[in-house]
Coordinates of all heavy atoms in Angstrom, one line a residue:
M405 N -69.4 -3.5 -22.0 CA -68.6 -3.1 -23.2 C -67.1 -2.9 -22.7 O -66.9 -2.3 -21.6 CB -69.1 -1.8 -23.8 CG -68.4 -1.3 -25.0 SD -69.0 0.2 -25.7 CE -70.2 -0.4 -26.7
E406 N -66.2 -3.4 -23.4 CA -64.8 -3.3 -23.0 C -64.3 -1.8 -23.0 O -64.8 -1.0 -23.9 CB -64.0 -4.1 -24.0 CG -62.5 -4.2 -23.6 CD -61.7 -5.0 -24.6 OE1 -62.3 -6.0 -25.1 OE2 -60.6 -4.7 -24.9
K407 N -63.5 -1.5 -22.1 CA -63.0 -0.1 -22.0 C -62.3 0.4 -23.3 O -62.6 1.6 -23.7 CB -62.1 0.0 -20.8 CG -62.8 -0.1 -19.5 CD -61.9 0.0 -18.3 CE -62.6 -0.2 -17.0 NZ -61.8 0.1 -15.8
L408 N -61.5 -0.4 -23.9 CA -60.9 0.0 -25.1 C -61.9 0.3 -26.2 O -61.7 1.3 -27.0 CB -59.9 -1.0 -25.6 CG -59.0 -0.6 -26.8 CD1 -58.2 0.6 -26.5 CD2 -58.1 -1.8 -27.2
Q409 N -62.9 -0.5 -26.3 CA -64.0 -0.2 -27.3 C -64.7 1.1 -27.0 O -65.1 1.8 -27.9 CB -65.0 -1.4 -27.4 CG -64.4 -2.6 -28.0 CD -65.4 -3.8 -27.8 OE1 -66.1 -3.9 -26.9 NE2 -65.4 -4.7 -28.8
M410 N -64.9 1.3 -25.7 CA -65.6 2.6 -25.3 C -64.8 3.8 -25.6 O -65.3 4.8 -26.1 CB -65.9 2.5 -23.8 CG -67.0 1.5 -23.4 SD -67.2 1.3 -21.6 CE -68.1 2.8 -21.3
K411 N -63.5 3.7 -25.4 CA -62.6 4.8 -25.8 C -62.6 5.0 -27.3 O -62.7 6.2 -27.7 CB -61.1 4.5 -25.4 CG -60.8 4.5 -23.9 CD -59.4 4.2 -23.7 CE -59.0 4.1 -22.2 NZ -57.6 3.8 -22.1
Q412 N -62.5 4.0 -28.0 CA -62.6 4.1 -29.5 C -63.9 4.7 -30.0 O -63.9 5.6 -30.8 CB -62.4 2.7 -30.2 CG -62.3 2.8 -31.7 CD -61.1 3.7 -32.2 OE1 -60.0 3.6 -31.6 NE2 -61.3 4.5 -33.2
G413 N -65.0 4.4 -29.3 CA -66.3 5.0 -29.6 C -66.3 6.5 -29.4 O -66.8 7.3 -30.1
L414 N -65.6 6.9 -28.2 CA -65.5 8.3 -27.9 C -64.7 9.0 -28.9 O -65.0 10.2 -29.3 CB -65.0 8.5 -26.5 CG -65.9 8.0 -25.4 CD1 -65.2 8.1 -24.0 CD2 -67.2 8.8 -25.3
V415 N -63.6 8.4 -29.3 CA -62.7 9.1 -30.3 C -63.5 9.3 -31.6 O -63.4 10.3 -32.3 CB -61.4 8.3 -30.6 CG1 -60.7 8.8 -31.8 CG2 -60.5 8.4 -29.3
E416 N -64.3 8.3 -32.0 CA -65.1 8.4 -33.3 C -66.1 9.5 -33.1 O -66.3 10.2 -34.1 CB -65.7 7.0 -33.6 CG -64.8 5.9 -34.0 CD -63.9 6.3 -35.2 OE1 -64.4 6.9 -36.1 OE2 -62.7 6.0 -35.2
R417 N -66.8 9.6 -32.0 CA -67.7 10.6 -31.8 C -67.1 12.0 -31.8 O -67.6 13.0 -32.3 CB -68.5 10.4 -30.5 CG -69.4 9.2 -30.6 CD -70.7 9.2 -29.8 NE -71.1 10.4 -29.1 CZ -72.1 11.2 -29.6 NH1 -72.7 10.9 -30.7 NH2 -72.5 12.2 -28.9
L418 N -65.9 12.1 -31.2 CA -65.1 13.3 -31.3 C -64.7 13.7 -32.7 O -64.8 14.9 -33.1 CB -63.9 13.3 -30.4 CG -64.1 13.3 -28.9 CD1 -62.9 12.9 -28.1 CD2 -64.5 14.7 -28.5
K419 N -64.4 12.7 -33.5 CA -64.1 13.0 -34.9 C -65.4 13.6 -35.6 O -65.3 14.5 -36.4 CB -63.7 11.7 -35.6 CG -62.3 11.3 -35.3 CD -62.0 10.0 -36.1 CE -60.7 9.4 -35.9 NZ -60.4 8.2 -36.6
S420 N -66.5 13.0 -35.3 CA -67.8 13.5 -35.9 C -68.1 14.9 -35.5 O -68.7 15.6 -36.2 CB -68.9 12.5 -35.5 OG -68.7 11.3 -36.0
A421 N -67.7 15.2 -34.2 CA -67.9 16.6 -33.7 C -66.8 17.5 -34.1 O -66.8 18.7 -33.7 CB -68.0 16.5 -32.2
K422 N -65.9 17.1 -35.0 CA -64.8 17.9 -35.5 C -63.9 18.4 -34.4 O -63.3 19.5 -34.5 CB -65.4 19.1 -36.3 CG -66.4 18.8 -37.4 CD -65.7 18.1 -38.5 CE -66.7 18.0 -39.7 NZ -67.0 16.7 -40.1
A423 N -63.7 17.7 -33.4 CA -62.8 18.0 -32.3 C -61.4 17.9 -32.7 O -60.5 18.6 -32.1 CB -63.1 17.2 -31.0
F424 N -61.1 17.1 -33.7 CA -59.7 17.0 -34.2 C -59.6 17.6 -35.6 O -58.9 17.1 -36.5 CB -59.4 15.5 -34.4 CG -59.5 14.7 -33.1 CD1 -60.5 13.7 -32.9 CD2 -58.7 14.9 -32.0 CE1 -60.6 13.0 -31.7 CE2 -58.8 14.2 -30.8 CZ -59.7 13.3 -30.7
W425 N -60.2 18.8 -35.8 CA -60.2 19.4 -37.1 C -58.9 19.7 -37.7 O -58.7 19.8 -38.9 CB -61.0 20.7 -37.0 CG -60.5 21.7 -36.0 CD1 -60.8 21.8 -34.7 CD2 -59.5 22.7 -36.2 NE1 -60.0 22.8 -34.1 CE2 -59.2 23.4 -35.0 CE3 -58.8 23.1 -37.4 CZ2 -58.3 24.4 -34.9 CZ3 -57.9 24.2 -37.3 CH2 -57.7 24.8 -36.0
S426 N -57.8 19.9 -36.8 CA -56.5 20.2 -37.4 C -55.6 19.0 -37.7 O -54.5 19.2 -38.0 CB -55.8 21.2 -36.4 OG -55.6 20.5 -35.2
Y427 N -56.2 17.8 -37.5 CA -55.4 16.6 -37.7 C -55.9 15.8 -38.9 O -57.1 15.8 -39.1 CB -55.4 15.7 -36.5 CG -54.7 16.4 -35.3 CD1 -55.5 17.1 -34.4 CD2 -53.4 16.4 -35.1 CE1 -55.0 17.7 -33.3 CE2 -52.8 17.0 -34.0 CZ -53.6 17.7 -33.1 OH -53.0 18.3 -32.0
D428 N -55.1 15.2 -39.7 CA -55.5 14.4 -40.8 C -56.3 13.1 -40.3 O -57.4 12.9 -40.8 CB -54.3 13.9 -41.7 CG -53.7 15.1 -42.4 OD1 -54.5 16.1 -42.7 OD2 -52.5 15.0 -42.8
D429 N -55.7 12.4 -39.5 CA -56.3 11.2 -39.0 C -55.9 10.9 -37.5 O -54.7 11.0 -37.2 CB -55.9 10.0 -39.9 CG -56.8 8.7 -39.6 OD1 -57.9 8.9 -39.2 OD2 -56.3 7.6 -39.8
V430 N -56.8 10.6 -36.7 CA -56.5 10.4 -35.3 C -57.0 9.0 -34.9 O -58.1 8.6 -35.3 CB -57.2 11.5 -34.4 CG1 -57.1 11.2 -33.0 CG2 -56.7 12.8 -34.8
T431 N -56.2 8.3 -34.1 CA -56.6 7.0 -33.6 C -56.5 7.1 -32.1 O -56.0 8.0 -31.5 CB -55.7 5.9 -34.1 OG1 -54.4 6.1 -33.5 CG2 -55.6 5.8 -35.6
I432 N -57.0 6.1 -31.4 CA -57.0 6.0 -30.0 C -55.6 6.1 -29.4 O -55.4 6.7 -28.4 CB -57.8 4.8 -29.4 CG1 -58.0 4.9 -27.9 CG2 -57.1 3.5 -29.8 CD1 -58.9 6.0 -27.5
K433 N -54.7 5.6 -30.2 CA -53.3 5.6 -29.7 C -52.7 7.0 -29.7 O -51.7 7.3 -29.0 CB -52.4 4.8 -30.7 CG -52.7 3.3 -30.6 CD -51.9 2.5 -31.6 CE -52.4 1.1 -31.6 NZ -51.7 0.3 -32.6
D434 N -53.3 7.9 -30.5 CA -52.8 9.3 -30.6 C -53.3 10.2 -29.5 O -52.8 11.3 -29.3 CB -53.2 9.9 -31.9 CG -52.7 9.2 -33.1 OD1 -51.5 8.7 -33.0 OD2 -53.4 9.0 -34.1
V435 N -54.3 9.8 -28.8 CA -55.0 10.6 -27.8 C -54.7 10.2 -26.4 O -55.2 9.1 -25.9 CB -56.5 10.6 -28.0 CG1 -57.2 11.6 -27.1 CG2 -56.9 11.0 -29.5
P436 N -53.9 11.0 -25.6 CA -53.7 10.6 -24.2 C -55.0 10.6 -23.4 O -55.9 11.3 -23.7 CB -52.7 11.7 -23.7 CG -52.2 12.4 -24.9 CD -53.2 12.2 -26.0
D437 N -55.0 9.8 -22.4 CA -56.3 9.7 -21.6 C -56.8 11.0 -21.0 O -58.0 11.3 -21.1 CB -56.1 8.7 -20.4 CG -55.9 7.3 -20.9 OD1 -56.3 7.0 -22.1 OD2 -55.4 6.4 -20.2
D438 N -55.9 11.9 -20.5 CA -56.3 13.1 -19.9 C -56.9 14.1 -21.0 O -57.8 14.8 -20.8 CB -55.2 13.8 -19.1 CG -54.0 14.1 -19.9 OD1 -53.7 13.4 -20.9 OD2 -53.3 15.1 -19.6
I439 N -56.3 14.0 -22.2 CA -56.8 14.8 -23.3 C -58.2 14.3 -23.8 O -59.1 15.0 -24.2 CB -55.8 14.9 -24.5 CG1 -54.5 15.5 -24.0 CG2 -56.4 15.7 -25.6 CD1 -54.6 16.9 -23.4
L440 N -58.4 13.0 -23.8 CA -59.6 12.4 -24.1 C -60.7 12.9 -23.2 O -61.8 13.3 -23.6 CB -59.6 10.9 -24.1 CG -60.8 10.1 -24.5 CD1 -61.2 10.4 -26.0 CD2 -60.7 8.6 -24.3
V441 N -60.4 12.9 -21.9 CA -61.4 13.4 -20.9 C -61.7 14.8 -21.2 O -62.9 15.2 -21.2 CB -60.8 13.2 -19.5 CG1 -61.7 14.0 -18.5 CG2 -60.7 11.8 -19.1
E442 N -60.7 15.7 -21.4 CA -60.9 17.1 -21.8 C -61.8 17.2 -23.0 O -62.8 18.0 -22.9 CB -59.6 17.8 -22.0 CG -59.7 19.2 -22.5 CD -58.4 19.8 -22.9 OE1 -57.3 19.2 -22.6 OE2 -58.4 20.9 -23.5
L443 N -61.5 16.6 -24.1 CA -62.3 16.8 -25.3 C -63.7 16.3 -25.2 O -64.6 16.9 -25.7 CB -61.5 16.1 -26.5 CG -60.2 16.7 -26.8 CD1 -59.5 15.9 -27.9 CD2 -60.4 18.2 -27.3
V444 N -63.9 15.1 -24.5 CA -65.2 14.6 -24.3 C -66.1 15.6 -23.5 O -67.2 15.9 -23.9 CB -65.2 13.2 -23.6 CG1 -66.6 12.8 -23.2 CG2 -64.7 12.2 -24.6
M445 N -65.5 16.2 -22.5 CA -66.3 17.1 -21.7 C -66.6 18.4 -22.4 O -67.6 19.0 -22.2 CB -65.5 17.4 -20.4 CG -65.5 16.3 -19.4 SD -65.2 16.8 -17.8 CE -65.5 15.3 -16.9
L446 N -65.7 18.8 -23.3 CA -65.9 20.1 -24.0 C -66.8 19.9 -25.3 O -67.5 20.8 -25.7 CB -64.6 20.7 -24.4 CG -63.7 21.2 -23.3 CD1 -62.4 21.7 -23.8 CD2 -64.4 22.2 -22.5
H447 N -66.8 18.7 -25.9 CA -67.4 18.6 -27.2 C -68.6 17.6 -27.3 O -69.4 17.7 -28.2 CB -66.4 18.2 -28.2 CG -65.3 19.2 -28.5 ND1 -65.5 20.3 -29.2 CD2 -64.0 19.2 -28.0 CE1 -64.4 21.0 -29.2 NE2 -63.5 20.4 -28.5
L448 N -68.7 16.7 -26.3 CA -69.8 15.7 -26.4 C -70.9 15.9 -25.3 O -70.8 16.9 -24.6 CB -69.2 14.3 -26.3 CG -68.1 14.0 -27.4 CD1 -67.6 12.6 -27.3 CD2 -68.7 14.2 -28.8
D449 N -71.8 15.0 -25.3 CA -73.0 15.2 -24.4 C -72.8 14.4 -23.1 O -71.8 13.7 -22.9 CB -74.3 14.9 -25.1 CG -74.3 13.5 -25.7 OD1 -73.6 12.6 -25.2 OD2 -75.1 13.2 -26.6
L450 N -73.8 14.5 -22.3 CA -73.8 13.8 -20.9 C -73.7 12.3 -21.0 O -73.0 11.7 -20.1 CB -75.0 14.2 -20.1 CG -75.0 15.7 -19.7 CD1 -76.3 16.0 -18.9 CD2 -73.8 16.0 -18.8
D451 N -74.3 11.7 -22.0 CA -74.2 10.2 -22.1 C -72.7 9.8 -22.3 O -72.2 8.8 -21.8 CB -75.0 9.7 -23.2 CG -76.5 9.8 -22.9 OD1 -76.9 9.8 -21.7 OD2 -77.3 9.9 -23.9
D452 N -72.0 10.6 -23.1 CA -70.6 10.3 -23.4 C -69.7 10.6 -22.1 O -68.8 9.9 -21.8 CB -70.1 11.1 -24.6 CG -70.8 10.7 -25.8 OD1 -70.9 9.5 -26.1 OD2 -71.3 11.6 -26.5
I453 N -70.1 11.7 -21.4 CA -69.4 12.0 -20.2 C -69.5 10.9 -19.2 O -68.6 10.5 -18.5 CB -69.8 13.4 -19.6 CG1 -69.3 14.5 -20.6 CG2 -69.2 13.6 -18.2 CD1 -69.9 15.8 -20.3
D454 N -70.7 10.3 -19.1 CA -71.0 9.2 -18.2 C -70.1 8.0 -18.5 O -69.6 7.3 -17.6 CB -72.4 8.7 -18.3 CG -73.4 9.6 -17.5 OD1 -72.9 10.4 -16.7 OD2 -74.6 9.6 -17.8
K455 N -69.8 7.8 -19.8 CA -68.9 6.7 -20.2 C -67.5 6.9 -19.7 O -66.8 5.9 -19.4 CB -68.8 6.6 -21.7 CG -70.1 6.1 -22.3 CD -70.1 6.0 -23.8 CE -71.4 5.6 -24.4 NZ -71.4 5.7 -25.8
L456 N -67.1 8.2 -19.5 CA -65.7 8.4 -18.9 C -65.6 7.8 -17.6 O -64.6 7.3 -17.2 CB -65.5 9.9 -18.8 CG -65.3 10.7 -20.1 CD1 -65.2 12.2 -19.9 CD2 -64.1 10.2 -20.9
F457 N -66.7 7.9 -16.8 CA -66.7 7.4 -15.4 C -66.7 5.8 -15.4 O -66.4 5.2 -14.4 CB -67.8 8.0 -14.6 CG -67.6 9.4 -14.3 CD1 -68.3 10.4 -15.1 CD2 -66.7 9.9 -13.3 CE1 -68.1 11.7 -14.9 CE2 -66.5 11.2 -13.1 CZ -67.2 12.2 -13.9
E458 N -67.1 5.2 -16.5 CA -67.1 3.8 -16.6 C -65.7 3.3 -17.0 O -65.2 2.2 -16.7 CB -68.1 3.3 -17.7 CG -69.5 3.5 -17.3 CD -70.5 3.1 -18.3 OE1 -70.2 2.1 -19.0 OE2 -71.5 3.8 -18.5
I459 N -65.0 4.2 -17.7 CA -63.6 3.9 -18.2 C -62.6 4.2 -17.2 O -61.6 3.4 -17.0 CB -63.3 4.7 -19.5 CG1 -64.3 4.3 -20.6 CG2 -61.9 4.4 -20.0 CD1 -64.3 5.2 -21.8
Y460 N -62.7 5.4 -16.6 CA -61.6 5.9 -15.7 C -62.2 6.0 -14.2 O -63.4 6.3 -14.1 CB -61.1 7.2 -16.1 CG -60.6 7.2 -17.5 CD1 -61.3 7.9 -18.6 CD2 -59.4 6.6 -17.9 CE1 -60.9 7.9 -19.9 CE2 -58.9 6.7 -19.2 CZ -59.7 7.3 -20.2 OH -59.2 7.3 -21.4
P461 N -61.3 6.0 -13.2 CA -61.7 6.3 -11.9 C -62.2 7.7 -11.7 O -61.7 8.6 -12.5 CB -60.5 6.0 -11.0 CG -59.5 5.3 -11.9 CD -59.9 5.6 -13.3
Y462 N -63.1 8.0 -10.8 CA -63.6 9.3 -10.6 C -62.5 10.4 -10.4 O -62.5 11.4 -11.0 CB -64.5 9.3 -9.3 CG -64.9 10.7 -8.9 CD1 -66.0 11.3 -9.5 CD2 -64.3 11.4 -7.9 CE1 -66.5 12.6 -9.2 CE2 -64.7 12.7 -7.6 CZ -65.8 13.2 -8.2 OH -66.2 14.5 -7.8
N463 N -61.5 10.0 -9.6 CA -60.4 11.0 -9.3 C -59.6 11.4 -10.6 O -59.1 12.5 -10.7 CB -59.5 10.5 -8.2 CG -60.1 10.7 -6.9 OD1 -60.9 11.5 -6.6 ND2 -59.7 9.8 -5.9
F464 N -59.4 10.4 -11.5 CA -58.7 10.7 -12.7 C -59.5 11.7 -13.6 O -58.9 12.6 -14.1 CB -58.4 9.4 -13.5 CG -57.7 9.7 -14.8 CD1 -56.3 9.8 -14.8 CD2 -58.4 9.8 -16.0 CE1 -55.7 10.1 -16.0 CE2 -57.8 10.1 -17.2 CZ -56.4 10.2 -17.2
V465 N -60.8 11.5 -13.7 CA -61.6 12.4 -14.4 C -61.6 13.8 -13.8 O -61.5 14.8 -14.5 CB -63.1 11.8 -14.6 CG1 -64.0 12.8 -15.3 CG2 -63.1 10.5 -15.3
K466 N -61.8 13.8 -12.5 CA -61.8 15.1 -11.8 C -60.5 15.8 -12.0 O -60.4 17.0 -12.3 CB -62.0 14.8 -10.3 CG -62.0 16.1 -9.4 CD -62.2 15.7 -8.0 CE -62.0 17.0 -7.1 NZ -62.2 16.7 -5.7
N467 N -59.3 15.1 -11.8 CA -58.0 15.8 -12.0 C -57.8 16.2 -13.4 O -57.2 17.3 -13.7 CB -56.9 14.9 -11.5 CG -56.9 14.7 -10.0 OD1 -57.4 15.5 -9.3 ND2 -56.4 13.6 -9.6
S468 N -58.2 15.5 -14.4 CA -58.1 15.9 -15.8 C -58.9 17.1 -16.0 O -58.5 18.0 -16.8 CB -58.6 14.7 -16.7 OG -57.7 13.6 -16.6
W469 N -60.1 17.2 -15.4 CA -60.9 18.4 -15.6 C -60.2 19.6 -15.0 O -60.1 20.6 -15.6 CB -62.3 18.2 -14.9 CG -63.1 19.4 -14.7 CD1 -63.2 20.2 -13.7 CD2 -63.8 20.0 -15.8 NE1 -64.0 21.3 -13.9 CE2 -64.4 21.2 -15.2 CE3 -64.1 19.7 -17.1 CZ2 -65.1 22.1 -16.0 CZ3 -64.9 20.6 -17.8 CH2 -65.4 21.7 -17.3
I470 N -59.7 19.5 -13.8 CA -59.1 20.6 -13.1 C -57.8 21.1 -13.9 O -57.7 22.3 -14.1 CB -58.7 20.2 -11.7 CG1 -60.0 20.1 -10.8 CG2 -57.8 21.3 -11.0 CD1 -59.8 19.5 -9.5
V471 N -57.0 20.1 -14.3 CA -55.7 20.5 -14.9 C -55.9 21.0 -16.4 O -55.3 22.0 -16.8 CB -54.8 19.3 -14.9 CG1 -53.6 19.5 -15.8 CG2 -54.4 19.0 -13.5
N472 N -56.8 20.3 -17.1 CA -56.9 20.6 -18.6 C -58.1 21.6 -18.9 O -57.9 22.3 -20.0 CB -57.1 19.3 -19.4 CG -55.9 18.4 -19.3 OD1 -54.8 18.9 -19.1 ND2 -56.2 17.1 -19.3
V473 N -59.1 21.6 -18.2 CA -60.3 22.4 -18.6 C -60.4 23.6 -17.7 O -60.5 24.8 -18.1 CB -61.5 21.6 -18.7 CG1 -62.7 22.5 -19.1 CG2 -61.4 20.4 -19.6
E474 N -60.6 23.4 -16.4 CA -60.8 24.5 -15.5 C -59.7 25.5 -15.5 O -59.9 26.7 -15.4 CB -61.0 24.0 -14.1 CG -61.4 25.0 -13.1 CD -61.7 24.5 -11.7 OE1 -60.7 23.8 -11.2 OE2 -62.7 24.7 -11.2
A475 N -58.5 25.1 -15.8 CA -57.3 26.0 -15.9 C -57.4 26.9 -17.1 O -56.7 27.9 -17.1 CB -56.0 25.1 -16.0
Q476 N -58.3 26.6 -18.0 CA -58.5 27.5 -19.2 C -59.2 28.8 -18.8 O -59.3 29.7 -19.6 CB -59.2 26.8 -20.3 CG -58.4 25.7 -20.9 CD -59.2 25.0 -22.0 OE1 -60.0 25.5 -22.6 NE2 -58.8 23.7 -22.2
G477 N -59.8 28.9 -17.6 CA -60.4 30.1 -17.2 C -61.8 30.0 -16.9 O -62.4 29.0 -16.8
E478 N -62.4 31.2 -16.6 CA -63.8 31.3 -16.2 C -64.8 30.7 -17.2 O -65.9 30.4 -16.8 CB -64.1 32.7 -15.8 CG -63.4 33.3 -14.6 CD -63.7 34.7 -14.3 OE1 -64.8 35.2 -14.8 OE2 -63.0 35.3 -13.6
R479 N -64.5 30.7 -18.4 CA -65.4 30.2 -19.4 C -66.0 28.8 -19.0 O -67.1 28.5 -19.3 CB -64.7 30.1 -20.7 CG -65.5 29.5 -21.8 CD -64.7 29.6 -23.1 NE -65.4 28.8 -24.2 CZ -64.9 28.6 -25.3 NH1 -63.7 29.1 -25.7 NH2 -65.6 28.0 -26.2
Y480 N -65.1 27.9 -18.4 CA -65.5 26.6 -18.1 C -65.7 26.4 -16.6 O -66.0 25.3 -16.2 CB -64.6 25.6 -18.6 CG -64.4 25.7 -20.1 CD1 -63.2 26.0 -20.7 CD2 -65.5 25.4 -21.0 CE1 -63.1 26.1 -22.1 CE2 -65.3 25.5 -22.3 CZ -64.1 25.8 -22.9 OH -64.0 25.9 -24.2
Y481 N -65.5 27.4 -15.8 CA -65.4 27.3 -14.4 C -66.7 26.6 -13.8 O -66.7 25.8 -13.0 CB -65.2 28.6 -13.7 CG -65.1 28.5 -12.2 CD1 -63.9 28.0 -11.6 CD2 -66.1 28.8 -11.4 CE1 -63.8 27.9 -10.3 CE2 -66.0 28.7 -10.0 CZ -64.8 28.2 -9.4 OH -64.7 28.1 -8.1
G482 N -67.9 27.1 -14.3 CA -69.1 26.6 -13.7 C -69.6 25.2 -14.3 O -70.4 24.6 -13.7
M483 N -69.0 24.8 -15.3 CA -69.3 23.5 -15.9 C -69.0 22.4 -15.0 O -67.9 22.4 -14.4 CB -68.7 23.3 -17.3 CG -69.2 24.2 -18.3 SD -68.3 24.0 -19.9 CE -68.5 22.3 -20.3
F484 N -69.8 21.4 -14.8 CA -69.6 20.2 -14.0 C -69.1 20.6 -12.6 O -68.1 20.0 -12.1 CB -68.6 19.3 -14.8 CG -69.0 19.0 -16.2 CD1 -68.4 19.7 -17.2 CD2 -70.0 18.1 -16.4 CE1 -68.8 19.4 -18.5 CE2 -70.4 17.9 -17.7 CZ -69.8 18.5 -18.7
Y485 N -69.8 21.5 -12.0 CA -69.4 21.9 -10.7 C -69.3 20.8 -9.7 O -68.4 20.8 -8.8 CB -70.5 22.9 -10.2 CG -70.2 23.5 -8.8 CD1 -69.3 24.5 -8.6 CD2 -70.9 23.0 -7.7 CE1 -69.0 25.0 -7.4 CE2 -70.7 23.6 -6.5 CZ -69.7 24.6 -6.3 OH -69.5 25.1 -5.1
K486 N -70.1 19.7 -9.9 CA -70.0 18.6 -9.0 C -68.7 17.9 -9.0 O -68.4 17.2 -8.0 CB -71.1 17.6 -9.3 CG -72.5 18.1 -9.1 CD -73.6 17.0 -9.3 CE -73.7 16.6 -10.7 NZ -74.7 15.6 -10.9
L487 N -67.9 18.0 -10.0 CA -66.6 17.3 -10.0 C -65.7 17.8 -9.0 O -64.8 17.2 -8.5 CB -66.0 17.4 -11.4 CG -66.5 16.6 -12.5 CD1 -65.8 16.9 -13.8 CD2 -66.3 15.1 -12.2
K488 N -65.9 19.1 -8.6 CA -65.0 19.7 -7.6 C -65.3 19.1 -6.2 O -64.4 19.2 -5.3 CB -65.2 21.2 -7.6 CG -64.7 21.8 -8.9 CD -64.7 23.3 -8.8 CE -63.5 23.7 -8.0 NZ -63.3 25.1 -8.0
Y489 N -66.4 18.6 -6.0 CA -66.8 18.2 -4.6 C -67.3 16.8 -4.5 O -67.6 16.1 -5.3 CB -67.9 19.1 -4.1 CG -67.4 20.5 -4.1 CD1 -67.8 21.4 -5.1 CD2 -66.5 21.0 -3.1 CE1 -67.3 22.7 -5.1 CE2 -66.1 22.3 -3.2 CZ -66.5 23.2 -4.2 OH -66.0 24.4 -4.2

């Protein structure tokens, strides 16, 4: 599956999960890659998280996690512990 199609599929799943509840309409062009990683990890399941690693390099996913999610505090600290190592 093409990476752009995979990204679009993730955005559609995020819409279904109400991750964009405060926006009228969101397209793939509106969502930066690091924010897509953050939202997928917070709102979707492991199959969708696996797709992130097919779309982006491991280090990009790891850095997006550290900067965007882990920085939010202890609430998410233990999630995806393997990404740190």
Side-chain angles (χ1 to χ4, degrees):
M405 184 181 272
E406 187 180 322
K407 291 181 180 186
L408 186 59
Q409 290 174 327
M410 292 174 76
K411 287 182 189 181
Q412 185 60 42
L414 291 173
V415 168
E416 292 302 319
R417 292 213 5 105
L418 286 166
K419 285 180 183 179
S420 296
K422 308 287 190 245
F424 302 112
W425 59 271
S426 63
Y427 298 96
D428 289 334
D429 192 27
V430 175
T431 67
I432 190 66
K433 295 176 185 176
D434 301 323
V435 184
D437 290 341
D438 61 329
I439 301 302
L440 180 64
V441 170
E442 173 187 350
L443 293 175
V444 167
M445 288 199 172
L446 294 178
H447 297 283
L448 300 182
D449 59 21
L450 290 175
D451 290 334
D452 297 311
I453 292 170
D454 284 342
K455 289 178 186 173
L456 291 175
F457 292 99
E458 294 176 35
I459 298 170
Y460 304 108
Y462 173 83
N463 284 333
F464 180 82
V465 175
K466 178 181 175 181
N467 289 336
S468 295
W469 169 259
I470 291 169
V471 170
N472 295 329
V473 181
E474 189 177 53
Q476 293 181 23
E478 291 182 18
R479 176 177 172 185
Y480 301 116
Y481 183 77
M483 290 176 59
F484 308 102
Y485 181 77
K486 293 190 291 186
L487 284 175
K488 293 185 79 172
Y489 302 100

